[in-house]
Amino acid sequence: MLLTSRRYSVADPVEAIELCFEKGWTDGLPVVPPTEERVRAMLDAARLRPGDQVAYIAHRAVSVTAEKVAINAVMAGCRPEYMPVVAAAVEGIGEPAWSYHGPGTSTAGAAVLTVVNGPIARELDINAGDNLFGPGWRANATIGRAVRLVMRNVCGSRPGTLDRGTLGHPGKLSYVIAENEAESPWTPLHVERGFRPEQSTVTVMAAEAPHQFYNQLSNTAEGVLTTLADDMRISGNVMGQPQYMLVIAGEHMRTIAKDGWIKADIRRFVFEHTKNSHAHLRRTHRMAGPVKPGDEALMRPLVESPDDILVVAAGGRAGAFSAYIPGWGSKRSSQAVTKEVKR
Amino acid sequence: MEILDPTTEATAQSIAYAPRPASLEGKRVGLIENTKFNSDRLLAKIGDILKAEYGAAETRMWRKHNSSVPAHQEIIEELKRTSDVMVAGIGD
Protein backbone atom coordinates (compact mmCIF):
# COMPACT_ATOMS: atom_id res chain seq x y z
CA MET A 1 0.00 0.00 0.00
CA LEU A 2 1.16 3.48 -0.87
CA LEU A 3 2.84 5.73 1.64
CA THR A 4 1.26 9.12 1.18
CA SER A 5 3.61 11.36 3.17
CA ARG A 6 5.44 14.10 1.34
CA ARG A 7 8.95 13.11 0.22
CA TYR A 8 12.17 15.07 0.37
CA SER A 9 15.26 14.27 -1.69
CA VAL A 10 18.62 14.56 0.02
CA ALA A 11 22.18 13.65 -1.01
CA ASP A 12 23.03 11.39 1.91
CA PRO A 13 22.09 10.47 5.51
CA VAL A 14 24.00 13.40 7.00
CA GLU A 15 22.04 15.84 4.85
CA ALA A 16 18.85 14.00 5.84
CA ILE A 17 19.65 14.45 9.54
CA GLU A 18 20.32 18.16 9.01
CA LEU A 19 17.08 18.58 7.04
CA CYS A 20 15.14 17.08 9.97
CA PHE A 21 16.73 19.65 12.27
CA GLU A 22 15.97 22.50 9.86
CA LYS A 23 12.35 21.43 9.52
CA GLY A 24 11.91 21.36 13.29
CA TRP A 25 11.09 17.66 13.35
CA THR A 26 13.46 16.57 16.12
CA ASP A 27 13.62 16.77 19.90
CA GLY A 28 17.04 18.40 19.68
CA LEU A 29 18.98 15.20 19.07
CA PRO A 30 19.86 13.74 15.65
CA VAL A 31 17.33 11.33 14.19
CA VAL A 32 17.53 8.28 11.96
CA PRO A 33 16.48 9.32 8.42
CA PRO A 34 12.97 7.96 7.77
CA THR A 35 13.36 6.21 4.43
CA GLU A 36 10.50 4.28 2.86
CA GLU A 37 12.25 0.94 3.48
CA ARG A 38 12.68 1.62 7.20
CA VAL A 39 9.13 2.92 7.57
CA ARG A 40 7.71 -0.17 5.84
CA ALA A 41 9.70 -2.48 8.11
CA MET A 42 8.20 -0.67 11.09
CA LEU A 43 4.63 -1.05 9.76
CA ASP A 44 5.15 -4.71 8.86
CA ALA A 45 6.45 -5.55 12.33
CA ALA A 46 3.18 -4.30 13.84
CA ARG A 47 1.06 -5.64 10.97
CA LEU A 48 -0.36 -2.18 10.39
CA ARG A 49 -1.38 -0.59 7.12
CA PRO A 50 -0.18 2.97 6.45
CA GLY A 51 -3.69 4.41 6.62
CA ASP A 52 -4.79 2.65 9.82
CA GLN A 53 -5.83 5.10 12.49
CA VAL A 54 -3.83 4.43 15.67
CA ALA A 55 -5.40 7.24 17.67
CA TYR A 56 -7.75 10.16 17.24
CA ILE A 57 -6.93 13.24 19.28
CA ALA A 58 -10.38 14.73 19.59
CA HIS A 59 -9.35 18.07 21.12
CA ARG A 60 -7.03 18.70 18.17
CA ALA A 61 -9.16 16.96 15.53
CA VAL A 62 -6.03 15.02 14.55
CA SER A 63 -6.10 11.49 13.21
CA VAL A 64 -2.81 9.76 14.01
CA THR A 65 -2.14 7.23 11.25
CA ALA A 66 0.13 4.20 11.41
CA GLU A 67 2.28 5.71 8.66
CA LYS A 68 3.05 8.79 10.76
CA VAL A 69 3.69 6.73 13.90
CA ALA A 70 6.09 4.52 11.89
CA ILE A 71 7.98 7.50 10.44
CA ASN A 72 8.47 8.99 13.89
CA ALA A 73 9.45 5.60 15.35
CA VAL A 74 12.16 5.26 12.69
CA MET A 75 13.40 8.76 13.48
CA ALA A 76 13.51 7.94 17.20
CA GLY A 77 15.84 5.00 16.55
CA CYS A 78 13.35 2.20 17.28
CA ARG A 79 13.91 -1.30 16.01
CA PRO A 80 10.90 -2.54 13.97
CA GLU A 81 9.88 -4.95 16.74
CA TYR A 82 9.31 -1.98 19.09
CA MET A 83 6.57 -0.66 16.83
CA PRO A 84 3.66 -2.56 18.48
CA VAL A 85 4.65 -1.00 21.83
CA VAL A 86 4.91 2.49 20.35
CA ALA A 87 1.51 2.06 18.68
CA ALA A 88 -0.11 0.87 21.93
CA ALA A 89 1.31 3.87 23.81
CA VAL A 90 0.03 6.29 21.15
CA GLU A 91 -3.34 4.57 21.31
CA GLY A 92 -3.29 5.11 25.09
CA ILE A 93 -2.63 8.86 24.97
CA GLY A 94 -5.46 9.16 22.45
CA GLU A 95 -7.99 7.75 24.94
CA PRO A 96 -10.54 10.25 26.30
CA ALA A 97 -9.54 9.27 29.87
CA TRP A 98 -5.94 10.35 29.20
CA SER A 99 -7.37 13.58 27.79
CA TYR A 100 -4.53 14.63 25.48
CA HIS A 101 -5.01 18.38 25.40
CA GLY A 102 -4.28 18.89 29.11
CA PRO A 103 -1.09 16.87 29.58
CA GLY A 104 0.06 17.63 26.03
CA THR A 105 -0.13 21.37 26.50
CA SER A 106 -0.17 22.30 30.17
CA THR A 107 2.31 24.67 31.79
CA ALA A 108 2.75 21.96 34.46
CA GLY A 109 4.93 20.10 31.96
CA ALA A 110 3.84 16.46 32.01
CA ALA A 111 5.71 13.62 30.33
CA VAL A 112 4.25 10.30 29.21
CA LEU A 113 5.33 7.85 31.91
CA THR A 114 5.13 4.47 30.16
CA VAL A 115 5.22 1.08 31.91
CA VAL A 116 5.52 -2.06 29.80
CA ASN A 117 4.24 -5.33 31.26
CA GLY A 118 4.05 -8.91 30.04
CA PRO A 119 6.30 -11.08 27.86
CA ILE A 120 7.16 -8.36 25.33
CA ALA A 121 9.08 -6.40 27.97
CA ARG A 122 11.59 -9.23 28.30
CA GLU A 123 11.62 -10.03 24.56
CA LEU A 124 12.56 -6.44 23.72
CA ASP A 125 14.99 -6.08 26.64
CA ILE A 126 13.10 -3.17 28.14
CA ASN A 127 15.00 -2.28 31.28
CA ALA A 128 13.30 -3.01 34.61
CA GLY A 129 16.43 -2.96 36.76
CA ASP A 130 19.63 -0.98 37.36
CA ASN A 131 19.59 2.69 36.37
CA LEU A 132 15.88 2.35 35.68
CA PHE A 133 15.18 5.91 34.56
CA GLY A 134 18.69 6.48 33.20
CA PRO A 135 20.33 5.91 29.82
CA GLY A 136 21.72 2.68 28.42
CA TRP A 137 18.82 0.70 26.94
CA ARG A 138 17.78 1.22 23.35
CA ALA A 139 14.16 0.15 23.88
CA ASN A 140 13.61 2.44 26.89
CA ALA A 141 15.29 5.39 25.18
CA THR A 142 13.66 5.11 21.77
CA ILE A 143 10.08 3.96 22.48
CA GLY A 144 9.34 7.01 24.62
CA ARG A 145 11.22 9.21 22.20
CA ALA A 146 9.00 7.95 19.38
CA VAL A 147 5.84 8.80 21.34
CA ARG A 148 7.14 12.31 22.05
CA LEU A 149 8.04 12.81 18.36
CA VAL A 150 4.49 11.77 17.42
CA MET A 151 3.17 14.33 19.91
CA ARG A 152 5.44 16.98 18.41
CA ASN A 153 5.13 16.22 14.72
CA VAL A 154 1.62 14.82 14.41
CA CYS A 155 -0.32 16.34 17.32
CA GLY A 156 1.41 19.72 17.23
CA SER A 157 2.81 19.66 20.79
CA ARG A 158 5.83 21.84 20.13
CA PRO A 159 7.54 23.65 22.99
CA GLY A 160 6.46 27.29 23.02
CA THR A 161 3.29 26.83 20.98
CA LEU A 162 0.99 23.92 21.86
CA ASP A 163 3.38 22.52 24.47
CA ARG A 164 3.55 25.29 27.04
CA GLY A 165 5.45 23.45 29.79
CA THR A 166 7.00 26.04 32.10
CA LEU A 167 9.83 23.74 33.19
CA GLY A 168 9.11 20.37 31.58
CA HIS A 169 11.48 17.62 32.70
CA PRO A 170 13.98 15.16 31.22
CA GLY A 171 11.30 12.44 31.03
CA LYS A 172 9.85 14.36 28.11
CA LEU A 173 12.70 12.93 25.99
CA SER A 174 11.73 9.37 26.98
CA TYR A 175 10.13 7.93 30.13
CA VAL A 176 9.76 4.19 29.59
CA ILE A 177 10.27 1.40 32.12
CA ALA A 178 9.25 -2.23 32.44
CA GLU A 179 8.01 -3.89 35.61
CA ASN A 180 10.48 -6.39 37.07
CA GLU A 181 8.00 -9.25 36.89
CA ALA A 182 10.74 -11.88 37.08
CA GLU A 183 11.76 -10.87 40.60
CA SER A 184 8.63 -9.19 41.90
CA PRO A 185 6.68 -11.03 44.59
CA TRP A 186 3.55 -9.10 43.64
CA THR A 187 0.76 -9.11 41.07
CA PRO A 188 1.98 -7.19 38.00
CA LEU A 189 0.45 -3.83 37.19
CA HIS A 190 -1.35 -5.05 34.06
CA VAL A 191 -2.97 -7.96 35.91
CA GLU A 192 -4.19 -5.55 38.60
CA ARG A 193 -5.65 -3.50 35.76
CA GLY A 194 -7.63 -6.38 34.27
CA PHE A 195 -5.29 -8.16 31.85
CA ARG A 196 -3.96 -11.71 31.90
CA PRO A 197 -0.32 -12.28 32.89
CA GLU A 198 0.59 -13.56 29.41
CA GLN A 199 -0.80 -10.45 27.71
CA SER A 200 1.62 -7.63 26.98
CA THR A 201 0.48 -4.13 27.82
CA VAL A 202 1.54 -0.52 27.95
CA THR A 203 0.33 1.78 30.73
CA VAL A 204 0.62 5.50 30.03
CA MET A 205 0.32 8.10 32.74
CA ALA A 206 0.82 11.86 32.40
CA ALA A 207 3.45 12.46 35.02
CA GLU A 208 6.01 14.64 36.71
CA ALA A 209 9.62 13.56 37.19
CA PRO A 210 10.48 10.68 39.56
CA HIS A 211 11.19 11.66 43.17
CA GLN A 212 13.69 9.31 44.82
CA PHE A 213 13.36 8.69 48.55
CA TYR A 214 15.85 7.17 50.98
CA ASN A 215 15.25 4.66 53.72
CA GLN A 216 18.46 2.86 54.66
CA LEU A 217 17.44 2.09 58.24
CA SER A 218 14.24 0.07 58.30
CA ASN A 219 13.83 -3.62 57.87
CA THR A 220 10.03 -3.45 58.00
CA ALA A 221 7.37 -2.58 55.45
CA GLU A 222 5.88 -0.02 57.79
CA GLY A 223 9.25 1.67 58.32
CA VAL A 224 10.03 2.01 54.63
CA LEU A 225 6.54 3.18 53.73
CA THR A 226 6.41 5.66 56.63
CA THR A 227 9.43 7.39 55.10
CA LEU A 228 7.85 7.26 51.65
CA ALA A 229 4.60 8.76 52.91
CA ASP A 230 6.42 11.53 54.75
CA ASP A 231 8.40 12.45 51.61
CA MET A 232 5.33 12.22 49.41
CA ARG A 233 2.75 14.00 51.54
CA ILE A 234 3.56 17.40 50.11
CA SER A 235 4.40 16.76 46.47
CA GLY A 236 3.07 17.40 43.02
CA ASN A 237 -0.18 19.29 42.67
CA VAL A 238 -1.12 18.81 46.33
CA MET A 239 -4.59 20.30 45.93
CA GLY A 240 -5.35 18.61 42.61
CA GLN A 241 -5.47 14.97 43.72
CA PRO A 242 -3.69 13.46 40.71
CA GLN A 243 -2.88 9.76 40.47
CA TYR A 244 0.55 8.65 41.68
CA MET A 245 2.92 5.87 40.72
CA LEU A 246 5.19 4.18 43.26
CA VAL A 247 8.25 2.47 41.85
CA ILE A 248 9.57 0.07 44.47
CA ALA A 249 13.14 -1.12 43.84
CA GLY A 250 14.91 -4.30 44.91
CA GLU A 251 15.88 -3.79 48.56
CA HIS A 252 12.65 -2.06 49.53
CA MET A 253 10.67 -4.61 47.54
CA ARG A 254 12.23 -7.47 49.50
CA THR A 255 11.78 -5.68 52.84
CA ILE A 256 8.11 -4.93 52.20
CA ALA A 257 7.34 -8.41 50.82
CA LYS A 258 9.10 -10.11 53.75
CA ASP A 259 6.39 -8.66 56.02
CA GLY A 260 3.74 -10.25 53.83
CA TRP A 261 2.49 -6.96 52.38
CA ILE A 262 0.96 -7.03 48.91
CA LYS A 263 0.39 -4.05 46.60
CA ALA A 264 -3.07 -3.39 48.05
CA ASP A 265 -1.53 -3.08 51.53
CA ILE A 266 1.01 -0.58 50.20
CA ARG A 267 -1.75 1.47 48.58
CA ARG A 268 -3.89 1.53 51.73
CA PHE A 269 -0.98 2.45 54.02
CA VAL A 270 0.28 5.21 51.75
CA PHE A 271 -3.25 6.56 51.24
CA GLU A 272 -3.81 6.78 55.00
CA HIS A 273 -0.43 8.36 55.74
CA THR A 274 -0.28 11.04 53.06
CA LYS A 275 -3.24 13.11 54.19
CA ASN A 276 -2.69 16.79 55.01
CA SER A 277 -4.67 18.86 57.46
CA HIS A 278 -6.58 21.78 56.01
CA ALA A 279 -4.75 23.95 58.53
CA HIS A 280 -1.35 22.98 57.12
CA LEU A 281 -2.55 23.45 53.55
CA ARG A 282 -3.85 26.91 54.42
CA ARG A 283 -0.77 27.93 56.41
CA THR A 284 1.47 26.93 53.52
CA HIS A 285 -0.68 28.80 50.98
CA ARG A 286 -1.84 25.75 49.08
CA MET A 287 -5.47 26.02 50.14
CA ALA A 288 -7.05 29.46 49.85
CA GLY A 289 -8.16 31.44 52.89
CA PRO A 290 -7.23 31.75 56.57
CA VAL A 291 -7.14 28.78 58.97
CA LYS A 292 -10.60 28.15 60.41
CA PRO A 293 -11.66 26.38 63.61
CA GLY A 294 -11.55 22.62 63.06
CA ASP A 295 -9.00 22.84 60.24
CA GLU A 296 -6.28 21.09 62.30
CA ALA A 297 -8.38 17.94 62.43
CA LEU A 298 -9.89 18.17 58.96
CA MET A 299 -7.79 15.96 56.67
CA ARG A 300 -7.52 16.04 52.89
CA PRO A 301 -6.19 12.91 51.15
CA LEU A 302 -3.39 13.40 48.62
CA VAL A 303 -5.27 11.18 46.14
CA GLU A 304 -8.99 10.47 45.83
CA SER A 305 -8.71 6.78 46.69
CA PRO A 306 -6.06 4.09 47.33
CA ASP A 307 -6.69 2.82 43.81
CA ASP A 308 -5.20 6.04 42.46
CA ILE A 309 -1.79 4.85 43.65
CA LEU A 310 -0.27 2.60 40.96
CA VAL A 311 2.45 0.33 42.33
CA VAL A 312 5.25 -1.03 40.14
CA ALA A 313 8.19 -3.24 41.17
CA ALA A 314 11.25 -2.00 39.28
CA GLY A 315 14.77 -0.64 39.77
CA GLY A 316 18.16 -2.05 40.73
CA ARG A 317 18.62 -4.85 43.25
CA ALA A 318 21.06 -2.90 45.39
CA GLY A 319 20.35 0.38 47.15
CA ALA A 320 17.66 1.32 49.65
CA PHE A 321 15.89 3.74 47.34
CA SER A 322 12.56 3.80 45.62
CA ALA A 323 10.55 6.54 43.95
CA TYR A 324 7.14 8.16 43.87
CA ILE A 325 5.90 9.92 40.77
CA PRO A 326 3.09 12.48 40.97
CA GLY A 327 0.72 12.35 38.06
CA TRP A 328 -0.02 15.51 36.15
CA GLY A 329 -2.71 17.91 37.30
CA SER A 330 -5.62 16.00 38.75
CA LYS A 331 -7.35 12.67 38.26
CA ARG A 332 -10.38 14.57 36.99
CA SER A 333 -8.23 15.96 34.16
CA SER A 334 -6.22 12.88 33.17
CA GLN A 335 -6.01 9.24 34.17
CA ALA A 336 -3.54 6.45 33.50
CA VAL A 337 -4.61 4.19 30.62
CA THR A 338 -3.53 0.60 29.93
CA LYS A 339 -3.59 -0.83 26.40
CA GLU A 340 -2.78 -4.27 25.10
CA VAL A 341 0.20 -4.51 22.75
CA LYS A 342 -1.24 -6.01 19.56
CA ARG A 343 1.05 -8.30 17.58
CA MET B 1 17.93 9.20 -1.09
CA GLU B 2 14.42 10.17 -0.07
CA ILE B 3 12.96 10.72 3.38
CA LEU B 4 9.34 10.96 4.45
CA ASP B 5 7.66 13.89 6.23
CA PRO B 6 6.80 12.95 9.85
CA THR B 7 4.26 15.73 10.30
CA THR B 8 0.56 15.73 9.58
CA GLU B 9 -0.19 17.91 6.64
CA ALA B 10 -3.09 20.13 7.66
CA THR B 11 -6.27 19.47 5.77
CA ALA B 12 -8.46 22.45 5.02
CA GLN B 13 -11.36 22.85 7.44
CA SER B 14 -14.04 25.46 7.36
CA ILE B 15 -15.34 26.86 10.61
CA ALA B 16 -18.66 28.66 10.67
CA TYR B 17 -18.62 31.62 13.02
CA ALA B 18 -21.88 32.87 14.47
CA PRO B 19 -22.66 36.39 13.26
CA ARG B 20 -21.42 39.08 15.67
CA PRO B 21 -24.11 41.36 17.16
CA ALA B 22 -23.70 45.04 16.31
CA SER B 23 -24.12 45.93 19.99
CA LEU B 24 -24.46 44.18 23.35
CA GLU B 25 -27.52 46.30 24.25
CA GLY B 26 -30.14 44.01 25.80
CA LYS B 27 -28.16 40.85 25.05
CA ARG B 28 -28.01 37.83 27.35
CA VAL B 29 -24.37 36.99 28.14
CA GLY B 30 -23.21 33.47 28.98
CA LEU B 31 -19.99 33.12 30.96
CA ILE B 32 -18.03 29.85 30.97
CA GLU B 33 -15.48 29.46 33.71
CA ASN B 34 -12.87 26.76 33.63
CA THR B 35 -12.70 25.84 37.39
CA LYS B 36 -9.34 27.49 37.98
CA PHE B 37 -8.94 29.63 41.08
CA ASN B 38 -10.48 33.11 40.61
CA SER B 39 -11.72 32.38 37.09
CA ASP B 40 -15.30 32.82 38.36
CA ARG B 41 -14.45 36.19 39.92
CA LEU B 42 -12.69 37.39 36.79
CA LEU B 43 -15.63 36.47 34.58
CA ALA B 44 -18.19 37.92 37.02
CA LYS B 45 -16.28 41.21 36.86
CA ILE B 46 -16.26 41.11 33.06
CA GLY B 47 -20.00 40.37 33.13
CA ASP B 48 -20.59 43.41 35.38
CA ILE B 49 -18.68 45.63 32.98
CA LEU B 50 -20.65 44.32 30.01
CA LYS B 51 -23.88 45.19 31.83
CA ALA B 52 -22.79 48.57 33.21
CA GLU B 53 -20.89 49.91 30.20
CA TYR B 54 -22.35 48.04 27.24
CA GLY B 55 -25.97 47.60 28.25
CA ALA B 56 -26.02 43.77 28.37
CA ALA B 57 -29.34 42.60 29.87
CA GLU B 58 -28.12 39.74 32.04
CA THR B 59 -25.27 37.34 32.67
CA ARG B 60 -25.27 33.71 33.64
CA MET B 61 -22.27 31.55 34.53
CA TRP B 62 -21.52 27.89 33.79
CA ARG B 63 -18.65 25.80 35.14
CA LYS B 64 -16.76 23.32 32.96
CA HIS B 65 -16.00 19.82 34.24
CA ASN B 66 -12.31 20.68 34.38
CA SER B 67 -9.95 23.15 32.80
CA SER B 68 -8.40 20.77 30.28
CA VAL B 69 -11.44 19.83 28.25
CA PRO B 70 -13.86 21.77 26.06
CA ALA B 71 -17.17 22.79 27.63
CA HIS B 72 -19.34 19.71 27.79
CA GLN B 73 -22.36 19.28 25.56
CA GLU B 74 -25.05 20.14 28.17
CA ILE B 75 -23.45 23.56 28.70
CA ILE B 76 -23.29 24.25 24.99
CA GLU B 77 -26.90 23.18 24.43
CA GLU B 78 -28.17 25.31 27.31
CA LEU B 79 -26.04 28.25 26.22
CA LYS B 80 -27.47 28.11 22.72
CA ARG B 81 -30.96 28.25 24.19
CA THR B 82 -30.49 30.93 26.82
CA SER B 83 -27.69 33.26 25.69
CA ASP B 84 -27.01 35.56 22.77
CA VAL B 85 -23.27 35.89 23.28
CA MET B 86 -20.72 34.13 25.43
CA VAL B 87 -17.39 34.79 27.11
CA ALA B 88 -14.98 32.01 28.05
CA GLY B 89 -11.86 32.57 30.10
CA ILE B 90 -9.27 31.04 32.35
CA GLY B 91 -8.12 32.02 35.80
CA ASP B 92 -4.34 31.79 35.71
Side-chain angles (χ1 to χ4, degrees):
Chain A
M1 243 164 291
L2 219 59
L3 300 180
T4 57
S5 295
R6 185 171 170 188
R7 288 158 194 264
Y8 291 84
S9 289
V10 285
D12 55 36
V14 173
E15 199 179 303
I17 292 167
E18 287 306 320
L19 179 72
C20 292
F21 276 122
E22 281 165 27
K23 292 280 182 188
W25 294 339
T26 96
D27 50 14
L29 291 168
V31 293
V32 174
T35 58
E36 171 155 2
E37 187 189 356
R38 292 188 181 117
V39 171
R40 285 201 181 278
M42 206 58 78
L43 289 165
D44 291 346
R47 291 192 289 160
L48 288 166
R49 289 167 302 185
D52 288 346
Q53 178 170 282
V54 177
Y56 181 70
I57 309 297
H59 301 158
R60 300 272 163 82
V62 169
S63 172
V64 184
T65 62
E67 177 172 336
K68 294 298 178 186
V69 175
I71 295 171
N72 283 283
V74 168
M75 289 169 64
C78 290
R79 293 171 62 90
E81 56 265 39
Y82 303 169
M83 179 65 181
V85 179
V86 175
V90 170
E91 209 185 311
I93 64 173
E95 279 290 314
W98 203 83
S99 196
Y100 186 95
H101 177 70
T105 316
S106 166
T107 45
V112 185
L113 173 57
T114 304
V115 183
V116 184
N117 277 97
I120 203 168
R122 292 176 291 283
E123 285 167 32
L124 301 182
D125 190 27
I126 301 176
N127 184 27
D130 289 332
N131 205 32
L132 183 68
F133 292 105
W137 274 262
R138 182 171 177 178
N140 300 59
T142 61
I143 290 170
R145 188 185 188 205
V147 173
R148 178 56 59 178
L149 288 177
V150 168
M151 294 171 74
R152 177 189 180 93
N153 290 328
V154 185
C155 309
S157 297
R158 286 174 185 237
T161 54
L162 285 176
D163 172 357
R164 299 307 300 261
T166 306
L167 298 168
H169 65 83
K172 290 180 88 164
L173 284 166
S174 189
Y175 205 7
V176 176
I177 63 172
E179 181 156 21
N180 185 357
E181 293 175 31
E183 291 178 320
S184 167
W186 299 315
T187 305
L189 178 71
H190 68 311
V191 177
E192 287 198 309
R193 294 173 68 82
F195 294 85
R196 295 188 306 279
E198 66 274 19
Q199 285 178 294
S200 292
T201 67
V202 171
T203 300
V204 286
M205 177 174 145
E208 294 185 8
H211 300 233
Q212 175 172 298
F213 75 94
Y214 292 54
N215 181 319
Q216 300 173 311
L217 290 177
S218 292
N219 57 5
T220 65
E222 189 168 336
V224 169
L225 296 176
T226 297
T227 306
L228 163 63
D230 194 49
D231 258 39
M232 184 173 151
R233 194 172 299 122
I234 293 291
S235 65
N237 184 16
V238 178
M239 291 299 294
Q241 295 183 317
Q243 294 181 313
Y244 272 73
M245 188 172 289
L246 308 182
V247 178
I248 312 287
E251 280 193 34
H252 285 165
M253 178 179 80
R254 291 191 294 276
T255 300
I256 295 166
K258 176 178 64 60
D259 282 358
W261 290 38
I262 62 170
K263 285 184 175 179
D265 300 319
I266 297 172
R267 278 195 287 272
R268 271 195 296 272
F269 185 91
V270 172
F271 178 78
E272 287 303 326
H273 292 83
T274 49
K275 294 174 180 172
N276 290 291
S277 74
H278 284 217
H280 181 72
L281 292 170
R282 289 192 197 280
R283 274 196 298 270
T284 54
H285 301 271
R286 293 183 165 96
M287 185 181 277
V291 178
K292 294 185 293 206
D295 275 354
E296 296 291 350
L298 199 55
M299 303 303 284
R300 180 180 172 86
L302 187 61
V303 293
E304 281 179 22
S305 104
D307 289 339
D308 293 321
I309 301 168
L310 285 67
V311 183
V312 172
R317 286 180 157 190
F321 313 99
S322 294
Y324 62 91
I325 304 173
W328 168 81
S330 69
K331 184 190 170 191
R332 270 181 300 120
S333 308
S334 178
Q335 292 175 33
V337 169
T338 302
K339 287 283 178 189
E340 185 178 11
V341 177
K342 298 186 201 102
R343 302 196 265 175
Chain B
M1 64 185 288
E2 263 186 355
I3 63 169
L4 297 166
D5 187 332
T7 65
T8 296
E9 296 86 0
T11 46
Q13 291 181 19
S14 57
I15 297 171
Y17 287 103
R20 272 26 183 180
S23 122
L24 291 178
E25 196 67 46
K27 299 290 183 204
R28 301 164 302 172
V29 180
L31 306 167
I32 301 184
E33 70 109 340
N34 76 341
T35 75
K36 289 205 175 190
F37 188 65
N38 279 341
S39 61
D40 50 349
R41 292 168 67 179
L42 177 72
L43 282 169
K45 184 80 187 161
I46 289 170
D48 290 345
I49 292 170
L50 296 182
K51 281 190 285 194
E53 297 179 21
Y54 296 87
E58 59 178 58
T59 62
R60 185 176 159 194
M61 194 177 295
W62 282 271
R63 192 174 167 85
K64 293 205 305 189
H65 283 176
N66 73 68
S67 57
S68 305
V69 294
H72 44 291
Q73 205 53 39
E74 307 96 91
I75 286 186
I76 292 172
E77 292 305 322
E78 228 180 304
L79 255 170
K80 284 198 317 210
R81 272 205 322 275
T82 61
S83 303
D84 303 305
V85 296
M86 59 150 285
V87 181
I90 68 168
D92 62 359

